[in-house]
């Protein structure tokens, strides 16, 4: 009788067996994420010695034998926990995406990570994997306008309800909203911090404490997910403060060059496995070329974010006392301030970021004149790129938000959102100065 197939033959992962061991520490020193971005998760010997991973442009992968194919599909379909044991089909996984996901998880110490075709694809897949008709989503406000639309208008058509609390809510205010929601099934607590576009911070620790006090260790305890796009991963790591899942528009700082669109979700393996099953079904995975570009970008993420953060501090210091400026919503100012937002900042953040809200004296006309007068900064939505961008949220990214809600959330006609890039800081200040003079 023939010998039973080996585990290697069953799984078809003989190439993985020969992969060189990962180096994540030297002499007892744990290597930093900036170092690990240069090679973690990739063995050049498996790709003809190529220093960088090739782009694997293939729709499907060859199984070594039928038993391996069966085992892979048992993982993909959920008949066996743990996901696919190897590469199956590009709707499920691929080498570029897997390397990228390994590296993304390093920045926040996440158990697992997934990548998506856009930030909204990541958010939508997260929601669809957790929410059932009749459930409630509790969220902070404001959120990115497309996220609010997805919750209220799209999921609302399928019987999903929502309740919200303001981004800067106290523990008592959070308790009141979660307590009211807990009369039904709460599928998810969804946060965005800093809030887009006001830069208001959410007290993640207070939300986690409130959730745990209400649900305890109940099996139906809702996970806490947070959009960390504005500060992460360099200036904020919410998994350390009680969040279960972190969401990213990788288009922004992770990509950082305004030349791709992608999203990411990081967190506990249990929740990520649930989201993975939905991604496998609806096919919202990031494509191989975009994943490859993100691998390139992650190598300079710390450098780019650090330079942009330094620039933002200088620009905001100039804007703060300008006679035509009403208020600058720059988080770095909270380091020396008092009050609840300052307390959250000191507990949750390691830097002020490079995206801020600028409230001009006047209204839409003054804001438009300022934007139209900028010469270095580009008039465009998005943020976190190498170039400085400026936009008008009330008339652009949040145009679809009802006027009453915009006013309640501080998204006013005199608000300009600015994302500082890596240009020379003094040049940017000169640009802001001449644009303000045009008002």
């Amino acid at each position: 009788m023939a010998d039973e197939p080996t585990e290697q033959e069953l799984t078809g992962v003989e190439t993985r067996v020969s992969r060189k061991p990962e180096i994540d520490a030297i002499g007892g020193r744990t290597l930093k994420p900036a170092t690990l971005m240069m090679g973690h998760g990739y063995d050049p010997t498996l790709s003809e010695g190529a220093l960088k991973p090739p782009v694997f442009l293939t729709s499907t992968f060859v199984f070594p034998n039928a038993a391996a194919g069966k085992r892979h599909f048992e993982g993909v379909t959920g008949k066996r926990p743990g996901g696919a044991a190897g590469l199956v089909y590009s709707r499920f996984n691929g080498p570029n995406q897997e390397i990228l996901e390994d590296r993304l998880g390093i920045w926040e110490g996440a158990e697992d990570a997934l990548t998506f075709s856009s930030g909204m694809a990541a958010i939508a897949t997260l929601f669809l994997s957790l929410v059932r008709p009749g459930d409630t989503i509790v969220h902070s406000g404001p959120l990115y306008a497309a996220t609010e639309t997805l919750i209220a208008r799209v999921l609302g058509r399928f019987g999903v309800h929502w309740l919200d609390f303001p981004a800067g809510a106290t523990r008592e205010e959070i308790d009141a909203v979660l307590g009211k929601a807990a009369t039904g099934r709460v599928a998810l607590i969804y946060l965005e911090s800093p809030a887009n576009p006001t830069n208001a911070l959410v007290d993640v620790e207070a939300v986690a404490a409130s959730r745990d006090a209400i649900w305890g260790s109940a099996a139906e305890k809702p996970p806490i997910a947070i959009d960390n796009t504005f500060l992460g991963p360099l200036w904020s790591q919410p998994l350390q403060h009680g969040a279960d899942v972190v969401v990213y528009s990788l288009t922004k700082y992770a990509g950082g060059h305004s030349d791709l669109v992608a999203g990411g979700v990081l967190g506990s393996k249990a929740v990520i496995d649930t989201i993975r099953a939905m991604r496998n079904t609806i096919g919202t995975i990031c494509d191989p070329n975009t994943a490859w570009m993100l691998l390139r970008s992650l190598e300079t993420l710390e450098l780019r974010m650090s330079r942009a953060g330094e620039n933002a501090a200088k620009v905001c210091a100039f804007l703060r006392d300008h006679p035509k400026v009403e208020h600058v919503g720059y988080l770095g100012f909270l380091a020396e301030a008092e009050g609840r937002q300052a307390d959250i900042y000191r507990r949750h953040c390691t830097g002020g970021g490079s995206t801020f809200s600028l409230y001009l004296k006047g209204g839409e006309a003054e804001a438009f004149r300022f934007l139209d007068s900028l010469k270095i900064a580009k008039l465009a939505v998005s943020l976190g790129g190498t170039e400085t961008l400026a936009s008008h949220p009330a008339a652009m990214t949040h145009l679809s938000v009802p006027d009453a809600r915009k006013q309640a959330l501080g998204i006013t006609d005199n608000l300009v959102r600015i994302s500082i890039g890596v240009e020379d800081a003094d040049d940017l200040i000169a640009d802001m100065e001449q644009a303000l003079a045009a008002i």
Side-chain angles (χ1 to χ4, degrees):
M1 191 166 99
D3 293 336
E4 289 292 319
T6 66
E7 179 69 14
Q8 179 174 310
E9 291 169 333
L10 279 172
T11 60
V13 293
E14 57 271 26
T15 55
R16 290 175 179 264
V17 172
S18 64
R19 177 178 289 175
K20 291 182 179 178
E22 295 287 358
I23 300 173
D24 56 9
I26 294 178
R29 173 185 171 81
T30 301
L31 300 181
K32 300 292 186 181
T35 302
L36 294 173
M37 292 306 102
M38 304 306 166
H40 180 81
Y42 172 64
D43 183 353
T45 63
L46 302 182
S47 296
E48 304 293 337
L51 176 66
K52 300 296 184 183
V55 183
F56 289 87
L57 296 177
T58 181
S59 60
T60 194
F61 300 89
V62 177
F63 303 131
N65 52 56
K70 177 182 179 181
R71 183 169 175 81
H72 291 339
F73 270 90
E74 286 174 343
V76 166
T77 58
K79 289 190 174 181
R80 179 181 50 78
L87 300 169
V88 179
Y89 184 66
S90 288
R91 194 176 91 236
F92 306 139
N93 56 8
N96 296 109
Q97 295 94 324
E98 289 193 347
I99 297 168
L100 173 61
E101 288 162 359
D102 285 347
R103 293 187 189 177
L104 281 174
I106 287 172
W107 286 99
E108 300 204 37
E111 290 181 354
D112 208 349
L114 297 172
T115 54
F116 298 83
S117 56
S118 70
M120 284 309 303
I123 294 169
T125 308
L126 166 69
F127 288 169
L128 290 174
S129 67
L130 298 176
V131 177
R132 305 187 305 229
D135 286 354
T136 296
I137 295 174
V138 177
H139 68 82
S140 61
L143 301 176
Y144 177 53
T147 309
E148 292 211 3
T149 297
L150 178 61
I151 294 172
R153 300 187 187 180
V154 178
L155 294 179
R157 300 203 319 254
F158 301 95
V160 176
H161 312 288
W162 61 271
L163 290 171
D164 71 338
F165 54 83
T170 63
R171 169 65 189 276
E172 291 72 21
E173 291 171 325
I174 296 167
D175 283 345
V177 174
L178 288 183
K180 180 179 179 181
T183 57
R185 182 179 184 270
V186 178
L188 177 68
I189 301 170
Y190 187 82
L191 313 175
E192 184 176 286
S193 184
N196 184 358
T198 62
N199 253 19
L201 294 171
V202 178
D203 191 339
V204 182
E205 292 175 346
V207 173
S210 179
R211 186 270 310 266
D212 293 346
I214 292 171
W215 279 273
S217 59
E220 288 286 285
K221 180 168 69 174
I224 297 170
I226 180 170
D227 186 331
N228 194 35
T229 298
F230 271 42
L231 289 181
L234 199 63
W235 299 305
S236 177
Q237 297 185 338
L239 294 179
Q240 298 180 9
H241 301 286
D244 302 293
V245 177
V246 174
V247 179
Y248 280 103
S249 170
L250 299 177
T251 309
K252 313 302 192 292
Y253 291 103
H257 295 78
S258 301
D259 56 6
L260 61 85
V261 175
V265 174
L266 300 75
S268 65
K269 185 162 180 56
V271 179
I272 294 297
D273 280 346
T274 300
I275 302 168
R276 189 196 316 275
M278 180 60 68
R279 189 187 71 171
N280 287 349
T281 300
I282 63 178
T284 49
I285 191 172
C286 169
D287 69 272
N289 189 69
T290 299
W292 182 90
M293 293 175 72
L294 280 162
L295 288 172
R296 169 216 62 185
S297 294
L298 287 182
E299 294 183 1
T300 60
L301 183 146
E302 186 173 42
L303 292 172
R304 290 182 288 102
M305 292 186 75
S306 296
R307 171 62 179 255
E310 293 166 1
N311 282 352
K314 295 176 182 178
V315 171
C316 289
F318 161 76
L319 293 171
R320 186 179 201 175
D321 299 321
H322 195 282
K324 294 184 181 180
V325 172
E326 181 180 286
H327 174 67
V328 180
Y330 168 59
L331 294 176
F333 292 154
L334 294 174
E336 304 300 328
E338 300 297 330
R340 177 153 180 76
Q341 284 288 292
D343 174 59
I344 298 171
Y345 177 81
R346 284 190 282 269
R347 287 187 285 114
H348 286 48
C349 307
T350 58
S354 66
T355 300
F356 60 93
S357 52
L358 175 65
Y359 292 86
L360 299 168
K361 291 181 179 178
E364 183 182 274
E366 288 73 19
F368 279 15
R369 196 169 296 120
F370 171 80
L371 289 167
D372 290 343
S373 300
L374 291 168
K375 299 183 183 302
I376 296 174
K378 305 298 191 294
L379 177 54
V381 296
S382 197
L383 58 104
T386 50
E387 65 290 301
T388 295
L389 300 178
S391 63
H392 189 269
M396 298 174 187
T397 55
H398 290 70
L399 180 64
S400 62
V401 178
D403 288 342
R405 182 161 175 79
K406 278 193 285 193
Q407 289 298 318
L409 295 173
I411 306 172
T412 54
D413 287 338
N414 67 330
L415 168 61
V416 171
R417 190 184 74 183
I418 298 177
S419 170
I420 296 294
V422 300
E423 305 96 337
D424 180 83
D426 290 334
D427 289 346
L428 293 175
I429 290 171
D431 192 25
M432 302 289 168
E433 187 172 27
Q434 65 83 27
L436 287 167
I439 297 178

